[in-house]
Amino acid sequence: MPDTPEQLVCATCGRTAPADGEALVAWARGVEHRREVWTCDVCSREYLRSIEGKLDSGWW
Ligand SMILES: [Zn+2]
């Protein structure tokens, strides 16, 4: 693994956040294809709403 700086990139909208610890609390971490993926607070909210609305996961 390359020693890259910890810059978070939202896998959904491409928003970036500095890994200063504050953003990390609001961001959701997931694992996809054995890779770490992050979702920003905004997208997490949208995502949750979609789950509650029982949208087809293929929509993503
Ligand atoms: Zn996002």
Side-chain angles (χ1 to χ4, degrees):
M1 287 270 288
D3 192 31
T4 50
E6 291 224 14
Q7 169 127 52
L8 300 185
V9 181
C10 176
T12 306
C13 70
R15 207 156 71 105
T16 58
D20 58 7
E22 284 185 33
L24 290 181
V25 183
W27 285 45
R29 178 180 161 276
V31 178
E32 216 170 71
H33 303 297
R34 301 177 69 185
R35 273 183 50 217
E36 234 183 32
V37 292
W38 286 90
T39 306
C40 72
D41 52 340
V42 176
C43 291
S44 306
R45 223 170 297 149
E46 289 290 322
Y47 184 63
L48 281 177
R49 204 186 302 159
S50 297
I51 291 175
E52 287 168 2
K54 292 189 166 68
L55 281 181
D56 191 324
S57 60
W59 185 76
W60 292 92

mmCIF file of all heavy atoms in Angstrom, residues 5-36:
data_model
loop_
_atom_site.group_PDB
_atom_site.id
_atom_site.type_symbol
_atom_site.label_atom_id
_atom_site.label_comp_id
_atom_site.label_asym_id
_atom_site.label_seq_id
_atom_site.Cartn_x
_atom_site.Cartn_y
_atom_site.Cartn_z
ATOM 1 N N PRO A 5 -1.529 10.425 1.662
ATOM 2 C CA PRO A 5 -2.158 11.261 2.691
ATOM 3 C C PRO A 5 -3.635 10.918 2.796
ATOM 4 O O PRO A 5 -4.275 10.569 1.808
ATOM 5 C CB PRO A 5 -1.956 12.685 2.186
ATOM 6 C CG PRO A 5 -1.695 12.553 0.722
ATOM 7 C CD PRO A 5 -1.017 11.221 0.553
ATOM 8 N N GLU A 6 -4.162 11.031 3.990
ATOM 9 C CA GLU A 6 -5.538 10.631 4.208
ATOM 10 C C GLU A 6 -6.513 11.710 3.774
ATOM 11 O O GLU A 6 -7.018 12.466 4.572
ATOM 12 C CB GLU A 6 -5.742 10.304 5.691
ATOM 13 C CG GLU A 6 -5.011 9.057 6.066
ATOM 14 C CD GLU A 6 -5.877 8.159 6.944
ATOM 15 O OE1 GLU A 6 -7.093 8.403 7.010
ATOM 16 O OE2 GLU A 6 -5.348 7.228 7.529
ATOM 17 N N GLN A 7 -6.773 11.716 2.478
ATOM 18 C CA GLN A 7 -7.786 12.646 1.984
ATOM 19 C C GLN A 7 -9.023 11.852 1.642
ATOM 20 O O GLN A 7 -8.972 10.903 0.865
ATOM 21 C CB GLN A 7 -7.284 13.367 0.743
ATOM 22 C CG GLN A 7 -8.402 14.146 0.056
ATOM 23 C CD GLN A 7 -8.026 15.590 -0.165
ATOM 24 O OE1 GLN A 7 -6.982 15.893 -0.708
ATOM 25 N NE2 GLN A 7 -8.869 16.497 0.260
ATOM 26 N N LEU A 8 -10.111 12.245 2.227
ATOM 27 C CA LEU A 8 -11.352 11.519 1.980
ATOM 28 C C LEU A 8 -12.011 12.041 0.718
ATOM 29 O O LEU A 8 -12.081 13.228 0.489
ATOM 30 C CB LEU A 8 -12.313 11.708 3.149
ATOM 31 C CG LEU A 8 -11.815 11.230 4.499
ATOM 32 C CD1 LEU A 8 -12.916 11.363 5.527
ATOM 33 C CD2 LEU A 8 -11.323 9.817 4.423
ATOM 34 N N VAL A 9 -12.457 11.108 -0.098
ATOM 35 C CA VAL A 9 -13.208 11.474 -1.288
ATOM 36 C C VAL A 9 -14.526 10.728 -1.262
ATOM 37 O O VAL A 9 -14.546 9.503 -1.121
ATOM 38 C CB VAL A 9 -12.435 11.108 -2.571
ATOM 39 C CG1 VAL A 9 -13.230 11.527 -3.800
ATOM 40 C CG2 VAL A 9 -11.063 11.751 -2.562
ATOM 41 N N CYS A 10 -15.594 11.460 -1.372
ATOM 42 C CA CYS A 10 -16.905 10.822 -1.371
ATOM 43 C C CYS A 10 -17.045 9.981 -2.629
ATOM 44 O O CYS A 10 -16.845 10.473 -3.738
ATOM 45 C CB CYS A 10 -18.006 11.881 -1.309
ATOM 46 S SG CYS A 10 -19.668 11.169 -1.426
ATOM 47 N N ALA A 11 -17.400 8.726 -2.454
ATOM 48 C CA ALA A 11 -17.515 7.820 -3.594
ATOM 49 C C ALA A 11 -18.736 8.141 -4.431
ATOM 50 O O ALA A 11 -18.860 7.683 -5.558
ATOM 51 C CB ALA A 11 -17.580 6.375 -3.102
ATOM 52 N N THR A 12 -19.632 8.915 -3.882
ATOM 53 C CA THR A 12 -20.879 9.195 -4.586
ATOM 54 C C THR A 12 -20.828 10.517 -5.340
ATOM 55 O O THR A 12 -21.169 10.579 -6.510
ATOM 56 C CB THR A 12 -22.054 9.214 -3.590
ATOM 57 O OG1 THR A 12 -22.059 7.984 -2.863
ATOM 58 C CG2 THR A 12 -23.377 9.379 -4.320
ATOM 59 N N CYS A 13 -20.362 11.567 -4.694
ATOM 60 C CA CYS A 13 -20.402 12.879 -5.341
ATOM 61 C C CYS A 13 -19.006 13.435 -5.603
ATOM 62 O O CYS A 13 -18.850 14.431 -6.281
ATOM 63 C CB CYS A 13 -21.215 13.867 -4.497
ATOM 64 S SG CYS A 13 -20.412 14.358 -2.967
ATOM 65 N N GLY A 14 -17.980 12.783 -5.082
ATOM 66 C CA GLY A 14 -16.620 13.221 -5.368
ATOM 67 C C GLY A 14 -16.144 14.354 -4.481
ATOM 68 O O GLY A 14 -15.059 14.892 -4.669
ATOM 69 N N ARG A 15 -16.935 14.728 -3.494
ATOM 70 C CA ARG A 15 -16.547 15.773 -2.556
ATOM 71 C C ARG A 15 -15.352 15.300 -1.744
ATOM 72 O O ARG A 15 -15.258 14.123 -1.409
ATOM 73 C CB ARG A 15 -17.727 16.091 -1.632
ATOM 74 C CG ARG A 15 -17.738 17.492 -1.092
ATOM 75 C CD ARG A 15 -19.175 17.877 -0.718
ATOM 76 N NE ARG A 15 -19.628 17.149 0.478
ATOM 77 C CZ ARG A 15 -19.727 17.708 1.688
ATOM 78 N NH1 ARG A 15 -19.391 18.951 1.857
ATOM 79 N NH2 ARG A 15 -20.157 17.018 2.707
ATOM 80 N N THR A 16 -14.472 16.205 -1.435
ATOM 81 C CA THR A 16 -13.320 15.835 -0.636
ATOM 82 C C THR A 16 -13.399 16.503 0.726
ATOM 83 O O THR A 16 -14.011 17.549 0.887
ATOM 84 C CB THR A 16 -12.009 16.246 -1.313
ATOM 85 O OG1 THR A 16 -12.025 17.652 -1.535
ATOM 86 C CG2 THR A 16 -11.834 15.517 -2.636
ATOM 87 N N ALA A 17 -12.768 15.880 1.690
ATOM 88 C CA ALA A 17 -12.728 16.443 3.032
ATOM 89 C C ALA A 17 -11.365 16.168 3.629
ATOM 90 O O ALA A 17 -10.808 15.088 3.448
ATOM 91 C CB ALA A 17 -13.817 15.824 3.905
ATOM 92 N N PRO A 18 -10.790 17.139 4.301
ATOM 93 C CA PRO A 18 -9.527 16.916 4.986
ATOM 94 C C PRO A 18 -9.724 15.962 6.155
ATOM 95 O O PRO A 18 -10.757 16.002 6.810
ATOM 96 C CB PRO A 18 -9.138 18.316 5.479
ATOM 97 C CG PRO A 18 -10.439 19.063 5.589
ATOM 98 C CD PRO A 18 -11.344 18.474 4.513
ATOM 99 N N ALA A 19 -8.751 15.116 6.352
ATOM 100 C CA ALA A 19 -8.875 14.133 7.435
ATOM 101 C C ALA A 19 -8.459 14.767 8.753
ATOM 102 O O ALA A 19 -7.497 14.369 9.385
ATOM 103 C CB ALA A 19 -8.021 12.918 7.123
ATOM 104 N N ASP A 20 -9.210 15.753 9.151
ATOM 105 C CA ASP A 20 -8.870 16.435 10.398
ATOM 106 C C ASP A 20 -9.654 15.883 11.576
ATOM 107 O O ASP A 20 -9.567 16.369 12.685
ATOM 108 C CB ASP A 20 -9.125 17.939 10.261
ATOM 109 C CG ASP A 20 -10.572 18.240 9.894
ATOM 110 O OD1 ASP A 20 -11.387 17.296 9.878
ATOM 111 O OD2 ASP A 20 -10.879 19.407 9.617
ATOM 112 N N GLY A 21 -10.448 14.868 11.309
ATOM 113 C CA GLY A 21 -11.174 14.245 12.391
ATOM 114 C C GLY A 21 -12.587 14.762 12.531
ATOM 115 O O GLY A 21 -13.467 14.044 12.967
ATOM 116 N N GLU A 22 -12.807 16.016 12.153
ATOM 117 C CA GLU A 22 -14.145 16.569 12.331
ATOM 118 C C GLU A 22 -15.095 16.031 11.278
ATOM 119 O O GLU A 22 -16.221 15.649 11.564
ATOM 120 C CB GLU A 22 -14.091 18.094 12.259
ATOM 121 C CG GLU A 22 -13.531 18.697 13.529
ATOM 122 C CD GLU A 22 -13.586 20.216 13.495
ATOM 123 O OE1 GLU A 22 -14.522 20.765 12.898
ATOM 124 O OE2 GLU A 22 -12.689 20.846 14.064
ATOM 125 N N ALA A 23 -14.631 16.005 10.032
ATOM 126 C CA ALA A 23 -15.476 15.504 8.948
ATOM 127 C C ALA A 23 -15.695 14.008 9.087
ATOM 128 O O ALA A 23 -16.736 13.490 8.718
ATOM 129 C CB ALA A 23 -14.836 15.823 7.599
ATOM 130 N N LEU A 24 -14.717 13.344 9.639
ATOM 131 C CA LEU A 24 -14.789 11.891 9.733
ATOM 132 C C LEU A 24 -16.011 11.430 10.507
ATOM 133 O O LEU A 24 -16.575 10.375 10.238
ATOM 134 C CB LEU A 24 -13.537 11.355 10.413
ATOM 135 C CG LEU A 24 -12.246 11.465 9.603
ATOM 136 C CD1 LEU A 24 -11.099 10.874 10.397
ATOM 137 C CD2 LEU A 24 -12.388 10.753 8.272
ATOM 138 N N VAL A 25 -16.406 12.227 11.467
ATOM 139 C CA VAL A 25 -17.535 11.839 12.304
ATOM 140 C C VAL A 25 -18.807 11.761 11.475
ATOM 141 O O VAL A 25 -19.648 10.894 11.687
ATOM 142 C CB VAL A 25 -17.706 12.851 13.455
ATOM 143 C CG1 VAL A 25 -18.842 12.404 14.368
ATOM 144 C CG2 VAL A 25 -16.407 12.985 14.235
ATOM 145 N N ALA A 26 -18.933 12.679 10.524
ATOM 146 C CA ALA A 26 -20.169 12.748 9.752
ATOM 147 C C ALA A 26 -20.133 11.814 8.548
ATOM 148 O O ALA A 26 -21.168 11.444 8.016
ATOM 149 C CB ALA A 26 -20.410 14.185 9.293
ATOM 150 N N TRP A 27 -18.940 11.452 8.127
ATOM 151 C CA TRP A 27 -18.827 10.613 6.932
ATOM 152 C C TRP A 27 -19.005 9.150 7.281
ATOM 153 O O TRP A 27 -18.644 8.702 8.370
ATOM 154 C CB TRP A 27 -17.475 10.840 6.261
ATOM 155 C CG TRP A 27 -17.398 12.145 5.512
ATOM 156 C CD1 TRP A 27 -17.818 13.353 5.961
ATOM 157 C CD2 TRP A 27 -16.880 12.361 4.202
ATOM 158 N NE1 TRP A 27 -17.579 14.308 5.001
ATOM 159 C CE2 TRP A 27 -16.999 13.723 3.920
ATOM 160 C CE3 TRP A 27 -16.300 11.509 3.246
ATOM 161 C CZ2 TRP A 27 -16.582 14.267 2.705
ATOM 162 C CZ3 TRP A 27 -15.880 12.056 2.048
ATOM 163 C CH2 TRP A 27 -16.026 13.422 1.779
ATOM 164 N N ALA A 28 -19.557 8.427 6.335
ATOM 165 C CA ALA A 28 -19.790 7.002 6.547
ATOM 166 C C ALA A 28 -18.752 6.197 5.775
ATOM 167 O O ALA A 28 -18.473 6.460 4.611
ATOM 168 C CB ALA A 28 -21.189 6.620 6.095
ATOM 169 N N ARG A 29 -18.175 5.214 6.462
ATOM 170 C CA ARG A 29 -17.158 4.389 5.834
ATOM 171 C C ARG A 29 -17.757 3.041 5.457
ATOM 172 O O ARG A 29 -18.516 2.451 6.214
ATOM 173 C CB ARG A 29 -15.998 4.185 6.802
ATOM 174 C CG ARG A 29 -14.900 3.291 6.257
ATOM 175 C CD ARG A 29 -13.804 3.171 7.300
ATOM 176 N NE ARG A 29 -12.970 2.019 7.036
ATOM 177 C CZ ARG A 29 -13.238 0.775 7.413
ATOM 178 N NH1 ARG A 29 -14.323 0.541 8.105
ATOM 179 N NH2 ARG A 29 -12.423 -0.209 7.117
ATOM 180 N N GLY A 30 -17.408 2.606 4.276
ATOM 181 C CA GLY A 30 -17.891 1.309 3.832
ATOM 182 C C GLY A 30 -16.785 0.580 3.086
ATOM 183 O O GLY A 30 -15.745 1.154 2.779
ATOM 184 N N VAL A 31 -17.011 -0.675 2.823
ATOM 185 C CA VAL A 31 -16.025 -1.456 2.086
ATOM 186 C C VAL A 31 -16.681 -2.039 0.843
ATOM 187 O O VAL A 31 -17.732 -2.660 0.922
ATOM 188 C CB VAL A 31 -15.444 -2.586 2.955
ATOM 189 C CG1 VAL A 31 -14.448 -3.418 2.143
ATOM 190 C CG2 VAL A 31 -14.791 -2.017 4.189
ATOM 191 N N GLU A 32 -16.051 -1.761 -0.272
ATOM 192 C CA GLU A 32 -16.585 -2.218 -1.541
ATOM 193 C C GLU A 32 -15.455 -2.854 -2.315
ATOM 194 O O GLU A 32 -14.425 -2.234 -2.553
ATOM 195 C CB GLU A 32 -17.139 -1.009 -2.305
ATOM 196 C CG GLU A 32 -18.394 -1.334 -3.104
ATOM 197 C CD GLU A 32 -19.029 -0.059 -3.632
ATOM 198 O OE1 GLU A 32 -18.449 0.546 -4.535
ATOM 199 O OE2 GLU A 32 -20.085 0.342 -3.118
ATOM 200 N N HIS A 33 -15.644 -4.078 -2.715
ATOM 201 C CA HIS A 33 -14.595 -4.775 -3.459
ATOM 202 C C HIS A 33 -13.267 -4.707 -2.712
ATOM 203 O O HIS A 33 -12.217 -4.446 -3.293
ATOM 204 C CB HIS A 33 -14.441 -4.188 -4.869
ATOM 205 C CG HIS A 33 -15.716 -4.221 -5.657
ATOM 206 N ND1 HIS A 33 -16.349 -5.392 -6.009
ATOM 207 C CD2 HIS A 33 -16.491 -3.214 -6.128
ATOM 208 C CE1 HIS A 33 -17.455 -5.092 -6.687
ATOM 209 N NE2 HIS A 33 -17.570 -3.790 -6.767
ATOM 210 N N ARG A 34 -13.342 -4.886 -1.429
ATOM 211 C CA ARG A 34 -12.167 -4.911 -0.544
ATOM 212 C C ARG A 34 -11.433 -3.579 -0.536
ATOM 213 O O ARG A 34 -10.269 -3.497 -0.147
ATOM 214 C CB ARG A 34 -11.209 -6.033 -0.961
ATOM 215 C CG ARG A 34 -11.898 -7.395 -0.903
ATOM 216 C CD ARG A 34 -10.987 -8.489 -1.377
ATOM 217 N NE ARG A 34 -9.900 -8.709 -0.437
ATOM 218 C CZ ARG A 34 -8.899 -9.562 -0.666
ATOM 219 N NH1 ARG A 34 -8.865 -10.231 -1.788
ATOM 220 N NH2 ARG A 34 -7.949 -9.728 0.205
ATOM 221 N N ARG A 35 -12.110 -2.536 -0.960
ATOM 222 C CA ARG A 35 -11.520 -1.202 -0.900
ATOM 223 C C ARG A 35 -12.358 -0.349 0.032
ATOM 224 O O ARG A 35 -13.572 -0.508 0.114
ATOM 225 C CB ARG A 35 -11.503 -0.559 -2.288
ATOM 226 C CG ARG A 35 -10.273 -0.919 -3.099
ATOM 227 C CD ARG A 35 -10.309 -0.181 -4.427
ATOM 228 N NE ARG A 35 -10.574 1.251 -4.242
ATOM 229 C CZ ARG A 35 -11.324 1.985 -5.067
ATOM 230 N NH1 ARG A 35 -11.876 1.447 -6.096
ATOM 231 N NH2 ARG A 35 -11.525 3.260 -4.831
ATOM 232 N N GLU A 36 -11.682 0.586 0.688
ATOM 233 C CA GLU A 36 -12.408 1.480 1.569
ATOM 234 C C GLU A 36 -13.100 2.553 0.749
ATOM 235 O O GLU A 36 -12.481 3.183 -0.096
ATOM 236 C CB GLU A 36 -11.417 2.142 2.532
ATOM 237 C CG GLU A 36 -11.812 1.944 3.972
ATOM 238 C CD GLU A 36 -10.855 2.660 4.889
ATOM 239 O OE1 GLU A 36 -10.329 3.714 4.508
ATOM 240 O OE2 GLU A 36 -10.638 2.157 5.999
#
